[in-house]
Amino acid sequence: MSLRIVVCVKYVPDATGDRHFADDLTLDRDDVDGLLSELDEYAVEQALQIAGDHTGDDAEVTVLTVGPEDAKDALRKALSMGADKAVHVEDDDLHGTDALGTSLVLAKAIEKTGYDLVICGMASTDGTMGVLPAMLSERLGVPQVTLLSEVSVDGGTVKGRRDGDAATVRLEASLPAVVSVTDQSGEARYPSFKGIMAAKKKPVESLDLGDLDIEAGDVGLEGAWTAVDSATERPARTAGTIVNDEGKGGDELAEFLVSQKFI
Amino acid sequence: MAEVLVYVDHVDGAVRKPTLELLTLARRLGDPVAVSLGAGAADTAAKLAEHGAVKVLTADAPEFADYLVVPKVDALQAAYESVSPAAVLVPSSAEGKEIAARLAVRIGSGLITDAIDLQAGDQGPVATQSVFAAAYTTNSRVTKGTPVITVKPNAAPVEPAAAAGTVEALAVTFGEAATGTKVVDRTPRESTGRPELTEAAIVVSGGRGVNGAENFAIIEALADSLGAAVGASRAAVDAGWYPHSNQVGQTGKSVSPQLYIASGISGAIQHRAGMQTSKTIVAINKDAEAPIFDLVDYGVVGDLFQVVPQLTEAIKARKG
Ligand SMILES: Cc1cc2nc3c(=O)[nH]c(=O)nc-3n(C[C@H](O)[C@H](O)[C@H](O)COP(=O)(O)OP(=O)(O)OC[C@H]3O[C@@H](n4cnc5c(N)ncnc54)[C@H](O)[C@@H]3O)c2cc1C
Ligand SMILES: Nc1ncnc2c1ncn2[C@@H]1O[C@H](COP(=O)(O)O)[C@@H](O)[C@H]1O
């Protein structure tokens, strides 16, 4: 039996860089380096492990991104980790698309690619919404098995462990399904030199909105379901008091807490 | 006045604090109608009425516990259809965000997550969010459909406001997708007796500097002297010194307490993302160059093994 895995990966601005808004209140992508979202590396890793465990040889891992031209870098990284092929949805009309729109585009691209299992990261490191996997499950009409710290595929069943707020639960669903994995699911591998070389020859398919039968008006800034009216830089915190501990640091700190009425 | 749906987070009938905060916000927008699901749902009504719910829609069925997320979405959608609300508010927990996401897709509405404030506006509710690890504050609106908004804990005060709180049974028909993901086993989290991390007024966190699971006892002792919750950096969690459920940061919990005390934590961007909106920040670190000191109201450059126990003793002495 073949197993077609589609991994959704996002190209994000480096969180350790200086992230800003552009004049139209979308993310300014010019001033800061982009990369494959670190949280999506965990998704690629689990896809590769599941494909590796698959007893038939015909498991295939496709990485999929919706993003600007530079998002190819994220696909290359995932291919060099070991994914088989990539799909890049790229269209000028996508600029400013919000979560509802992105989920629409991803769902259409996943259907067009063909899938038994979709694997996402737990959240993107820029938007940090953590909603896309649930939206994809809703749009594709297949089970969501999300926020897993452990995942495995056994025949036609996906199993996993979800560490929730109130309880840890073990989950099971039949394929096809949408999974998301957390950063507790296991360290992602580094691309090997061989992997980096091999990635250069792997196919990257480019799709635009026309290929996916999506109207430009349903996505992008104009088609968005939400609008950002203002973005203000948080004022830098006023410099605090910093003291060296000369033996009474704890007592002095207690005085500060008293002055602030915490004690 | 327009009605506003509020999704109730409760544990066996005990309403969690973020839901009461949601009721405060909902009253700014209209008349709150609460939706309470699962075991103990009916027991939530009195508390919800005390905090402004004009109506409480309840439903209980085994599906809510036996299958992941989707049965709750079916119920919330049924409530949405029976009420035609001006907005739907959901607590920003991991599950809350997933419920809100699916509902937004189903009803063709825009979604805003992790609001830290909410006001009525001419064109519908205006949600304030803190983005890019709290470097920016944004105001956003939903422009299509009925606004679906998830709200973070500590976004508003809990305010008593007596209302009718009429209890009505909500009729729910589960769709085919409801039973797609089966919960085959459940291990409830053991209570530590300390406040819930995301709800606590004071959070005391330890990082790699704590240097060992057994040393977390001094962090816990400080927390207990203040009645605080205990947090940990990812470095401390990855080292196995403290449970992941206590991790503060981008991939852990996001906290916004009145007071945050960081000991032996450097202040990496991913950690700051989860605590930067705390009102007062205090750090103890032996490295004067640690980035956490850029955030603090009060910082002590020193060895946490000296400073923290001394602080704990001083607090205990004051409290008598
Ligand atoms: C995708 C991603 C997600 C992440 N998510 C999170 C997250 O949710 N939460 C999180 O915390 N991190 C997260 N991280 C990790 C983050 O980048 C840092 O690695 C982590 O926060 C460091 O933890 P730390 O400050 O405890 O350790 P360190 O950076 O090693 O700092 C330890 C500090 O302790 C001080 N110290 C040592 N001994 C003493 C002593 N005796 N007394 C006083 N001070 C002492 C040192 O001076 C140092 O400043 C994430 C990283 C990535 C890539
Ligand atoms: N533009 C995108 N392209 C591909 N995958 C995405 C995109 N945006 C989000 N995802 C996937 O959805 C997950 C959750 O994203 P989010 O809901 O935006 O926090 C990410 O970890 C990715 O796996």
Side-chain angles (χ1 to χ4, degrees), chain A residues 15-16 19-21 27 38-39 42 100 122 125-126 128-129 131 134-135 137-139 143-147 162 164-174 183-184 187 217 223-234 237-245 247-258 262-263, chain B residues 68-69 93-95 97-98 101-102 104-106 108-114 131-144 180-189 234 238 244 250-251 253 258-259 269 276-282 284 293 295-302 306-307 310-311 314-315 318-319:
Chain A
T16 56
R19 293 174 293 183
H20 288 286
F21 282 91
L27 174 70
E38 280 152 314
L39 293 175
Y42 295 92
L100 268 290
M122 63 186 287
T125 55
D126 53 349
T128 66
M129 293 180 79
V131 295
M135 286 181 170
S137 155
E138 183 67 40
R139 289 198 189 274
Q144 81 166 68
V145 197
T146 47
L147 296 173
R162 170 168 164 134
D165 283 343
T168 289
V169 291
R170 290 201 168 268
L171 301 172
E172 261 181 45
S174 304
D183 61 340
Q184 299 290 301
E187 278 308 305
W225 279 255
T226 48
V228 180
D229 290 335
S230 69
T232 27
E233 215 165 341
R234 195 182 163 84
R237 293 186 82 103
T238 42
T241 311
I242 298 185
V243 298
N244 282 309
D245 177 30
K248 286 272 161 244
D251 291 332
E252 289 160 15
L253 176 47
E255 294 298 334
F256 170 78
L257 296 181
V258 170
F262 288 114
I263 307 174
Chain B
L68 191 71
V69 173
S93 60
E95 185 179 76
K97 289 207 267 189
E98 293 187 328
R102 297 189 75 115
V105 170
R106 284 192 191 181
S109 287
L111 170 69
I112 292 176
T113 55
D114 293 326
V131 303
F132 297 160
Y136 278 85
T137 306
T138 59
N139 281 339
S140 304
R141 279 175 301 119
V142 167
T143 49
K144 286 188 190 169
T181 309
K182 186 156 181 47
V183 176
V184 292
D185 183 59
R186 175 185 304 270
T187 317
R189 175 148 291 128
R234 174 159 142 186
D238 284 354
H244 177 252
Q250 184 181 27
T251 54
K253 299 278 160 48
Q258 296 298 319
L259 173 63
I269 182 86
Q276 196 155 2
T277 56
S278 305
K279 301 281 178 312
T280 298
I281 298 175
V282 169
I284 299 147
F293 284 126
L295 298 181
V296 299
D297 296 282
Y298 193 97
V300 182
V301 181
Q306 302 295 324
V307 178
Q310 191 179 71
L311 173 61
I315 292 167
R318 296 250 172 203
K319 289 195 164 172

Side-chain angles (χ1 to χ4, degrees), chain B residues 6-10 13-28 32 34-36 43-53 56 89-92 151-161 199:
Chain B
V6 172
Y7 182 86
V8 176
D9 188 4
H10 70 96
V15 181
R16 292 184 58 184
K17 188 167 151 249
T19 299
L20 302 178
E21 296 163 3
L22 275 192
L23 288 169
T24 301
L25 295 174
R27 281 188 279 116
R28 296 182 188 163
V35 181
S36 193
D43 301 337
T44 61
K47 190 90 176 174
L48 298 168
E50 275 168 37
H51 292 86
V56 181
L89 307 185
V90 182
S92 255
V151 181
K152 279 196 176 186
N154 289 334
V158 173
E159 290 168 0
E199 300 170 13

Side-chain angles (χ1 to χ4, degrees), chain B:
Chain B
M1 200 149 67
E3 294 179 309
V4 176
L5 271 193
V6 172
Y7 182 86
V8 176
D9 188 4
H10 70 96
V11 183
D12 295 326
V15 181
R16 292 184 58 184
K17 188 167 151 249
T19 299
L20 302 178
E21 296 163 3
L22 275 192
L23 288 169
T24 301
L25 295 174
R27 281 188 279 116
R28 296 182 188 163
L29 311 176
D31 288 328
V33 174
V35 181
S36 193
L37 308 174
D43 301 337
T44 61
K47 190 90 176 174
L48 298 168
E50 275 168 37
H51 292 86
V54 297
K55 218 190 285 176
V56 181
L57 305 176
T58 63
D60 190 12
E63 280 82 354
F64 293 125
D66 293 350
Y67 299 92
L68 191 71
V69 173
V70 185
K72 294 170 180 162
V73 182
D74 288 352
L76 188 57
Q77 186 183 8
Y80 166 82
E81 280 160 7
S82 79
V83 171
S84 305
V88 182
L89 307 185
V90 182
S92 255
S93 60
E95 185 179 76
K97 289 207 267 189
E98 293 187 328
I99 292 170
R102 297 189 75 115
L103 181 75
V105 170
R106 284 192 191 181
I107 67 176
S109 287
L111 170 69
I112 292 176
T113 55
D114 293 326
I116 56 167
D117 196 7
L118 211 51
Q119 302 287 345
D122 298 340
Q123 297 162 289
V126 177
T128 306
Q129 290 164 289
S130 177
V131 303
F132 297 160
Y136 278 85
T137 306
T138 59
N139 281 339
S140 304
R141 279 175 301 119
V142 167
T143 49
K144 286 188 190 169
T146 304
V148 180
I149 303 174
T150 79
V151 181
K152 279 196 176 186
N154 289 334
V158 173
E159 290 168 0
T166 319
V167 180
E168 279 177 29
L170 177 68
V172 186
T173 325
F174 294 115
E176 213 177 296
T179 53
T181 309
K182 186 156 181 47
V183 176
V184 292
D185 183 59
R186 175 185 304 270
T187 317
R189 175 148 291 128
E190 274 175 44
S191 164
T192 58
R194 298 196 178 87
E196 189 64 37
L197 187 56
T198 54
E199 300 170 13
I202 304 180
V203 174
V204 174
S205 288
R208 202 195 304 271
V210 174
N211 201 24
E214 64 289 353
N215 296 339
F216 256 87
I218 70 166
I219 301 296
E220 290 181 333
L222 173 59
D224 292 341
S225 75
L226 290 163
V230 177
S233 73
R234 174 159 142 186
V237 170
D238 284 354
W241 304 338
Y242 223 67
H244 177 252
S245 52
N246 294 71
Q247 182 178 314
V248 171
Q250 184 181 27
T251 54
K253 299 278 160 48
S254 169
V255 302
S256 198
Q258 296 298 319
L259 173 63
Y260 187 86
I261 304 181
S263 300
I265 293 178
S266 62
I269 182 86
Q270 295 91 353
H271 187 77
R272 289 190 340 230
M275 47 66 73
Q276 196 155 2
T277 56
S278 305
K279 301 281 178 312
T280 298
I281 298 175
V282 169
I284 299 147
N285 195 306
K286 66 179 183 191
D287 176 9
E289 305 295 319
I292 190 88
F293 284 126
D294 296 341
L295 298 181
V296 299
D297 296 282
Y298 193 97
V300 182
V301 181
D303 184 348
L304 72 91
F305 293 101
Q306 302 295 324
V307 178
V308 173
Q310 191 179 71
L311 173 61
T312 307
E313 286 315 310
I315 292 167
K316 282 191 190 155
R318 296 250 172 203
K319 289 195 164 172

Side-chain angles (χ1 to χ4, degrees), chain A residues 119-220:
Chain A
I119 307 186
C120 296
M122 63 186 287
S124 53
T125 55
D126 53 349
T128 66
M129 293 180 79
V131 295
L132 253 298
M135 286 181 170
L136 288 177
S137 155
E138 183 67 40
R139 289 198 189 274
L140 294 168
V142 303
Q144 81 166 68
V145 197
T146 47
L147 296 173
L148 303 182
S149 48
E150 232 178 72
V151 58
S152 62
V153 172
D154 187 357
T157 304
V158 53
K159 300 178 180 180
R161 192 184 89 218
R162 170 168 164 134
D163 300 319
D165 283 343
T168 289
V169 291
R170 290 201 168 268
L171 301 172
E172 261 181 45
S174 304
L175 298 182
V178 175
V179 158
S180 75
V181 297
T182 73
D183 61 340
Q184 299 290 301
S185 59
E187 278 308 305
R189 68 193 66 188
Y190 287 103
S192 64
F193 179 69
K194 217 175 115 205
I196 293 169
M197 297 313 286
K200 298 192 169 137
K201 299 199 193 69
K202 289 177 178 171
V204 178
E205 185 186 2
S206 238
L207 300 174
D208 62 17
L209 290 175
D211 296 324
L212 297 175
D213 292 323
I214 295 173
E215 301 285 329
D218 286 341
V219 294

Side-chain angles (χ1 to χ4, degrees), chain A residues 8-10 40 64-66 102 106 120-124 128-133:
Chain A
C8 298
V9 298
K10 190 176 183 186
D40 294 346
L64 164 65
T65 197
V66 174
T102 304
L106 280 174
C120 296
M122 63 186 287
S124 53
T128 66
M129 293 180 79
V131 295
L132 253 298

